[in-house]
Amino acid sequence: MTAPGRRSSTFTRLLRHGFTDPSGAERLLESAELAPIKADPVLLDALGATADPDLALLGLVRLVEAQDGQAARRELLDTLIAAKPLRDRLLGVLGASAALGDHLARHPRDWQELVRYEPQDLHPGVEEFERGLASATDPVSLRVSYRRCLLSIAARDVCGTTDLAQTAAELADLATATLRAALAIAQADAPDDAALCRLAVVAMGKCGGHELNYVSDVDVIFVGEAVEGADERKAIQAASRLASHLMRICSETTVEGSIWPVDANLRPEGRNGPLVRTLSSHLAYYQRWAKTWEFQALLKARPVAGDLKLGEEYVATLAPLVWHAAERANFVPDVQRMRRRVVENIPVAEVDRELKLGPGGLRDVEFAVQMLQLVHGRADTSLRSGTTLDALKALAAGGYVGRADAVQLDEAYRFLRSMEHRIQLYRLRRTHLVPEEDTDLRRIGRSLGLRADPVAELNREWKRHAAVVRRLHEKLFYRPLLDAVAQLAPGETRLSAGAARERLVALGYADPAAALRHLEALASGVSRKAAIQRTLLPVLLGWFADSADPDAGLLNFRKVSDALGKTPWYLRLLRDEGAAAENLARVLSAGRLAPDLLLRAPEAVALLGDGDGGRGGLEPRPRAHLEQEILAAVGRAGGGEQAVTAARGVRRRELFRTAAMDIVASYGTEEHPAVADQGALVDRVGGAVSDLTAATLAGTLRAVVRAGWGETLPTRFAVIGMGRFGGHELGYGSDADVLFVHEPRDGVDEHEASRAANAVVSEMRRLLQISSADPPLLIDADLRPEGKSGPLVRTLRSYEAYYRRWSLVWEAQALLRAEVVAGDEDLGRRFIELIDPLRYPAEGLGDDAVREIRRLKARMESERMPRGADPTLHTKLGRGGLSDVEWTVQLMQLRHGWAEPGLRTTRTRGGLAAACAAGLLGGEDAAVLDEAWVLATRVRNAVMLVRGRAGDTFPSDGRELAAVGRYLGYGPGHVGDMLDDYRRTTRRARALVDELFYGA
């Protein structure tokens, strides 16, 4: 029985040596198996140096117990104590890998594999591994031999004898030897098939790149040819049987486990294509059908087994196609889209633990390096390595990647790959997820040399390296472009002008020469401004490249910087406020409208900074605040023109604010994805532009009255918003549809009052259309009684007389959207009271009136559609477009508004919701109509943002069409999907319009 004092001392020693279960460890140390060496101090020290001392001790006891006889046990224990290299390797493996501990317990003599390699022969190659697998004659013995070889690789790895690159290369060499052995077994099992064909096994992925993981699919492509005199069809069938057999040998699971799955899905047509093709068949596929990612995969192609001459011919034949892949249309967007798709497919619960595929993970490094290889490897053959770290080193040596960036990326990649290796080594399972349990994290951290607080240190180092990868992944493609135009220290390597142009073309810049000139103007020199620009531009260039018009983004940025470059706060804003730079990049490259507004008053860039909700100062301001500011500006101005100029200046700034908000919300940013509720975004834009228009009219009315009549006009005067203006649905390029109503003040002659009211309207229209740096605001009064033939302004009594005697049904329909927007509130309220019985007639519309509305709608469709326009893509008059939905809602309002108060709204979406609530149409039908109306409105907004002028149909220019698609959430190459989706959405809406409006 152990004395309590001694037990306490042992317990403390075990804790100090890293054991987490000292009681269990003490029992194992006292076991009969370790009795001969339990007192030897080197054992405890060696166990304490392992990743998991408890696991190492348990594995050692199991191994000793499994030895066949006392002599074998004594041999193991004596060698363990006497030979430090064996002790470190054996205990290191046992402390890092439960799976290899299980293997040693099943095959207890395999520990001797760990003393085979002396210091002068630490790194076996393929031939050495082939000798280790030579005795394997069937799948089971091959698995045992494979694990035996893996044991020696893991021992050198965990002891630090090999680094990450050497370990990964050894794993690839072992995979190569294993594929050769498996093919030999398959050929021995089917000698007739082997005699008919030549079969080459070409490794892809990490095996082909000589950088394999412990547990990974081994990606391959099979190439077959008939031997001389053999029938080609039969030969390929035979080769396919051999290839299938090889895959089964490696992939099938037995009591010894499996080796790894052999994955041939990178072959042409993937799993749907034939397993084996001839070389000519491969070539034909890649010449005609291959996608960009398939050429990217071929970067790592390496013949490893079978007919190596045929495999080398395969690689040599396809190499020219690989190194011209960057010339394909949409090359960089294709690669970037594939990367994004990988991230999007990660389950949400796992994305923060995904070491390989997540943001800042291993795939970010590999994608960035491969993309640079494909762009610059056409002319520079030194870049054509299939090994990531070798390729990164070559990219740095050639000046394609900054040296400091390359060093940081190399360190991060090595750390993350080493972490991945330790995770997989434990159970020899294919996983890239960082464990959640502290026990697992502690073992991984200790295995990487983090001993003070393994869990906290591991998490800190992991996050630090992931952040480095993410940051460098974003700038890797762009930073060297600045070096190409900047003054570098003597001896530093930089991109040549030709290489810089190649990279810009690959990024989507249509005029690389102009882009380089802009970069030189922005980044050259030793001023503080140039230094900050050099810091900002790598990331900005990436955001520009993510748009449909990178050239415009860069040009606009230069213009803004030229205008504001000497302003102290401008560059500080972009550098220090995370949202500002990205918001600016999105705005400058999204089209013409927002940049034009910004360049007329560049100081508005301040709105793009950080603020509530991460949207900066882009939240539209309430109408009351806008009106207060505009009226104050008008009050400070000298005359009418100066006052309206001030009002229009506020309008320009607020239009920019709204447009920028719309773009940022639609594109999304890294921290704030694109908004999901498109209907809410449409409402915000329509409401903001409508409020701004109302405030501008109020300010202009005040300025005109003050300039001509002082403080009081001889007649009360009100402006009634109509159409989209009254419905709070204005777009960026919309006119302001209005009616003007006045009422002479007491004692004022009606003719004098009328002259004053008309003078006010005329002056308002003139001042709002004067050519200036500010966009004009067009006032449209064509919805007034008698249309263009009627007087511009009427008295309230005149309106009452006209509507009582002459009003037509279309005028009642137009009045559904009438709302007071400026002027005398009491007069405006009385006007609304006057028209309510007209637009919400008691007992609804009669049948004749309904037929008349339907006739007017049909006539409008046939007569007003522009010649040559596609009716399936016209957002206003086309099938299922704005007019279809609006007239359907308005007919329900005319028929049922008298009985359903909810229908008495000027807003289309509000009317739809009220009709649904009243049971006039079903929820699904309302959703279909709402979706079509929102989509058509967004298209109109997008066209104005992109082209800088209004339009009711999709642009014909390819770049403008792509920009509209980007605004609507469609990536590069998906313009066709956008048009198809629009047609499908509006087709469904039109079917409902035929039923609900026309009664079909």
Side-chain angles (χ1 to χ4, degrees):
M1 183 174 177
T2 305
R6 180 168 176 261
R7 178 179 178 83
S8 176
S9 173
T10 303
F11 190 92
T12 303
R13 286 175 60 217
L14 291 170
L15 279 176
R16 193 167 58 248
H17 279 83
F19 287 88
T20 57
D21 182 13
S23 299
E26 190 173 3
R27 287 193 297 272
L28 291 174
L29 286 168
E30 296 290 340
S31 64
E33 286 78 11
L34 298 187
I37 61 168
K38 68 178 182 180
D40 198 312
V42 300
L43 176 62
L44 201 57
D45 290 340
L47 287 167
T50 66
D52 187 341
D54 301 88
L55 181 65
L57 178 57
L58 176 61
L60 177 61
V61 170
R62 292 177 64 206
L63 176 60
V64 174
E65 188 178 34
Q67 297 301 310
D68 186 14
Q70 193 62 36
R73 292 185 183 184
R74 192 71 214 185
E75 178 189 6
L76 169 60
L77 294 174
D78 287 347
T79 309
L80 183 71
I81 296 301
K84 185 178 187 305
L86 170 73
R87 183 168 64 248
D88 291 343
R89 291 174 186 174
L90 177 59
L91 295 182
V93 167
L94 292 174
S97 178
L100 289 177
D102 292 341
H103 172 84
L104 285 169
R106 288 195 302 272
H107 304 280
R109 299 302 292 171
D110 278 3
W111 67 268
Q112 295 179 334
E113 182 73 13
L114 301 181
V115 295
R116 288 183 58 201
Y117 300 104
E118 296 303 322
Q120 68 271 19
D121 185 27
L122 291 174
H123 311 303
V126 176
E127 293 76 14
E128 181 66 28
F129 286 127
E130 282 189 290
R131 285 191 287 274
L133 302 175
S135 60
T137 56
D138 59 75
V140 175
S141 62
L142 181 61
R143 289 178 179 80
V144 174
S145 299
Y146 175 82
R147 288 289 175 95
R148 187 181 301 120
C149 294
L150 191 65
L151 186 66
S152 67
I153 295 175
R156 289 188 293 278
D157 179 19
V158 298
C159 292
T161 306
T162 54
D163 66 8
L164 177 277
Q166 293 167 328
T167 300
E170 287 188 13
L171 289 166
D173 285 342
L174 176 56
T176 297
T178 305
L179 287 169
R180 293 177 182 179
L183 181 57
I185 294 172
Q187 289 171 330
D189 289 345
D192 292 342
D193 286 342
L196 280 176
C197 64
R198 299 166 62 202
L199 177 64
V201 184
V202 179
M204 305 286 283
K206 283 188 164 55
C207 183
H210 230 73
E211 51 187 11
L212 196 60
N213 293 335
Y214 275 102
V215 188
S216 174
D217 292 354
V218 172
D219 296 305
V220 299
I221 284 178
F222 296 107
V223 187
E225 297 287 353
V227 299
E228 188 174 353
D231 178 77
E232 183 179 280
R233 184 178 62 83
K234 292 181 178 179
I236 296 302
Q237 289 175 344
S240 299
R241 288 191 291 271
L242 290 174
S244 296
H245 195 178
L246 178 153
M247 294 173 71
R248 285 195 301 274
I249 290 170
C250 296
S251 306
E252 286 179 353
T253 302
T254 68
V255 68
E256 295 292 341
S258 65
I259 301 176
W260 18 248
V262 175
D263 188 342
N265 288 337
L266 291 179
R267 67 186 185 268
E269 299 179 78
R271 64 184 63 196
N272 297 319
L275 185 60
V276 180
R277 288 177 182 257
T278 63
L279 179 54
S280 61
S281 176
H282 276 284
L283 179 61
Y285 173 83
Y286 284 106
Q287 286 176 329
R288 296 187 62 188
W289 308 111
K291 298 180 176 62
T292 299
W293 70 263
E294 293 179 278
F295 294 108
Q296 186 179 353
L298 285 170
L299 271 173
K300 296 183 179 294
R302 178 172 66 93
V304 291
D307 192 315
L308 295 181
K309 183 178 178 181
L310 176 59
E312 289 166 357
E313 190 179 352
Y314 169 87
V315 172
T317 300
L318 295 183
L321 299 180
V322 173
W323 299 113
H324 285 87
E327 299 170 5
R328 295 162 63 93
N330 297 316
F331 161 70
V332 170
D334 281 350
V335 176
Q336 292 172 335
R337 184 166 57 251
M338 184 170 73
R339 173 68 188 119
R340 285 194 294 267
R341 191 161 55 242
V342 168
V343 174
E344 289 165 0
N345 288 335
I346 303 172
V348 175
E350 298 178 358
V351 68
D352 291 335
R353 297 167 48 219
E354 178 55 74
L355 194 63
K356 176 181 178 181
L357 304 178
L362 293 163
R363 190 56 63 84
D364 272 353
V365 182
E366 293 159 358
F367 265 60
V369 169
Q370 289 163 21
M371 193 157 60
L372 291 174
Q373 284 181 277
L374 288 170
V375 170
H376 299 297
R378 290 174 288 176
D380 190 342
T381 57
S382 69
L383 305 180
R384 298 183 179 183
S385 172
T387 306
T388 301
L389 291 177
D390 290 347
L392 179 59
K393 184 177 179 181
L395 286 165
Y400 304 99
V401 175
R403 291 176 180 175
D405 290 348
V407 168
Q408 289 188 19
L409 208 59
D410 182 280
E411 290 176 353
Y413 188 72
R414 289 175 185 273
F415 181 87
L416 296 175
R417 280 294 305 273
S418 297
M419 193 173 166
E420 179 187 43
H421 276 189
R422 297 300 193 271
I423 293 170
Q424 293 181 345
L425 184 59
Y426 179 56
R427 291 290 186 192
L428 287 182
R429 289 177 182 165
R430 182 178 179 272
T431 180
H432 313 289
L433 289 179
V434 178
E436 296 178 290
E437 297 296 329
D438 281 357
T439 303
D440 295 316
L441 295 174
R442 181 176 183 275
R443 181 186 63 256
I444 296 166
R446 283 175 58 90
S447 75
L448 296 174
L450 308 174
R451 296 300 174 96
D453 185 351
V455 175
E457 288 180 81
L458 177 67
N459 280 318
R460 185 166 57 251
E461 287 297 293
W462 169 31
K463 298 302 181 186
R464 179 175 71 84
H465 285 297
V468 167
V469 168
R470 193 171 189 185
R471 176 175 58 82
L472 293 181
H473 172 75
E474 292 170 345
K475 67 177 278 192
L476 235 129
F477 220 72
Y478 312 108
R479 168 66 68 180
L481 289 169
L482 302 188
D483 296 341
V485 298
Q487 299 298 317
L488 300 182
E492 288 194 38
T493 309
R494 68 179 185 179
L495 282 180
S496 67
R501 279 193 294 271
E502 284 183 351
R503 186 173 295 194
L504 285 164
V505 170
L507 285 166
Y509 287 82
D511 189 352
L516 282 174
R517 289 196 300 272
H518 299 326
L519 291 176
E520 185 170 10
L522 289 163
S524 291
V526 295
S527 66
R528 178 176 175 274
K529 171 186 172 183
I532 296 177
Q533 299 277 32
R534 286 193 290 271
T535 301
L536 292 169
L537 276 166
V539 180
L540 288 171
L541 285 169
W543 288 324
F544 294 150
D546 188 41
S547 74
D549 196 349
D551 299 81
L554 181 56
L555 173 61
N556 289 329
F557 179 68
R558 180 180 175 183
K559 289 179 179 178
V560 173
S561 294
D562 287 347
L564 292 175
K566 294 182 180 179
T567 308
W569 56 263
Y570 166 62
L571 290 174
R572 186 168 63 246
L573 171 80
L574 299 186
R575 182 192 64 194
D576 298 339
E577 295 198 21
E582 184 171 4
N583 289 347
L584 179 62
R586 298 301 184 201
V587 166
L588 293 180
S589 56
R592 295 181 182 176
L593 178 65
D596 286 349
L597 293 169
L598 178 60
L599 290 169
R600 291 173 183 179
E603 64 276 4
V605 76
L607 300 175
L608 300 169
D610 290 331
D612 295 339
R615 300 289 185 199
L618 300 182
E619 194 64 33
R621 299 170 65 202
R623 176 175 167 179
H625 290 184
L626 292 171
E627 194 164 317
Q628 183 179 22
E629 181 182 1
I630 289 176
L631 291 176
V634 166
R636 291 190 298 269
E641 287 195 12
Q642 295 91 331
V644 175
T645 297
R648 289 175 65 181
V650 175
R651 177 173 178 264
R652 178 197 59 229
R653 184 197 67 210
E654 295 304 318
L655 275 176
F656 171 74
R657 188 197 303 269
T658 302
M661 177 277 294
D662 192 7
I663 291 166
V664 171
S666 297
Y667 273 53
T669 64
E670 182 180 322
E671 295 184 3
H672 299 277
V675 297
D677 189 345
Q678 304 301 328
L681 181 56
V682 163
D683 290 344
R684 288 174 71 195
V685 171
V689 177
S690 301
D691 286 346
L692 178 56
T693 301
T696 304
L697 289 178
T700 303
L701 176 60
R702 172 74 62 85
V704 169
V705 170
R706 193 184 66 168
W709 295 270
E711 293 301 320
T712 306
L713 192 66
T715 185
R716 294 180 177 87
F717 188 90
V719 184
I720 310 299
M722 300 288 286
R724 298 190 186 286
F725 186 16
H728 297 256
E729 298 162 356
L730 282 182
Y732 299 108
S734 299
D735 296 346
D737 289 316
V738 297
L739 298 179
F740 296 110
V741 58
H742 78 104
E743 185 178 65
R745 296 185 185 277
D746 292 343
V748 175
D749 178 75
E750 188 166 323
H751 292 293
E752 179 188 351
S754 179
R755 282 196 301 271
N758 277 282
V760 166
V761 171
S762 178
E763 185 67 357
M764 286 180 67
R765 298 177 82 174
R766 184 185 74 83
L767 291 175
L768 287 170
Q769 296 179 49
I770 291 177
S771 295
S772 73
D774 303 312
L777 175 57
L778 302 180
I779 295 177
D780 187 342
D782 289 352
L783 292 176
R784 65 188 184 269
E786 302 177 77
K788 294 181 181 179
S789 303
L792 268 177
V793 189
R794 288 176 180 262
T795 63
L796 183 63
R797 191 170 57 191
S798 175
Y799 275 108
E800 189 273 332
Y802 175 85
Y803 287 138
R804 184 178 67 251
R805 298 182 62 189
W806 309 111
S807 176
L808 301 175
V809 67
W810 71 264
E811 292 177 299
Q813 182 182 353
L815 290 169
L816 284 168
R817 307 179 94 179
E819 184 172 281
V820 184
V821 294
D824 190 296
E825 293 183 5
D826 178 66
L827 177 61
R829 176 183 56 77
R830 285 186 283 130
F831 178 85
I832 297 300
E833 290 174 352
L834 167 68
I835 64 172
D836 272 350
L838 191 67
R839 58 182 179 174
Y840 308 125
E843 305 300 327
L845 288 184
D847 291 342
D848 289 344
V850 170
R851 281 193 293 271
E852 176 64 11
I853 288 178
R854 288 171 176 168
R855 186 187 66 78
L856 287 171
K857 175 73 165 66
R859 179 181 170 187
M860 183 182 71
E861 289 179 15
S862 64
E863 294 181 359
R864 295 180 59 187
M865 178 72 72
R867 181 175 297 179
D870 184 346
T872 67
L873 294 176
H874 198 279
T875 59
K876 182 177 181 181
L877 303 175
R879 294 195 286 268
L882 297 171
S883 292
D884 270 357
V885 178
E886 289 164 1
W887 282 58
T888 300
V889 172
Q890 290 160 16
L891 181 59
M892 286 188 283
Q893 290 178 297
L894 288 166
R895 299 178 75 177
H896 305 285
W898 66 277
E900 296 290 342
L903 286 172
R904 300 170 200 167
T905 175
T906 63
R907 307 181 187 213
T908 301
R909 298 189 73 217
L912 263 178
C916 180
L920 300 177
L921 75 166
E924 290 186 8
D925 291 348
V928 168
L929 294 175
D930 184 77
E931 182 185 10
W933 188 88
V934 167
L935 179 57
T937 303
R938 293 206 76 217
V939 172
R940 292 185 95 203
N941 286 344
V943 169
M944 184 65 188
L945 287 169
V946 169
R947 303 179 68 192
R949 61 182 189 274
D952 290 319
T953 190
F954 289 87
S956 56
D957 177 80
R959 191 174 285 263
E960 291 179 346
L961 187 61
V964 169
R966 185 69 179 83
Y967 170 87
L968 294 175
Y970 293 87
H974 288 278
V975 165
D977 295 337
M978 171 181 69
L979 299 178
D980 289 344
D981 289 346
Y982 182 85
R983 287 189 173 103
R984 180 170 53 253
T985 301
T986 53
R987 184 172 62 245
R988 294 170 62 205
R990 177 63 187 203
L992 283 173
V993 170
D994 287 340
E995 176 185 342
L996 297 169
F997 182 83
Y998 287 110

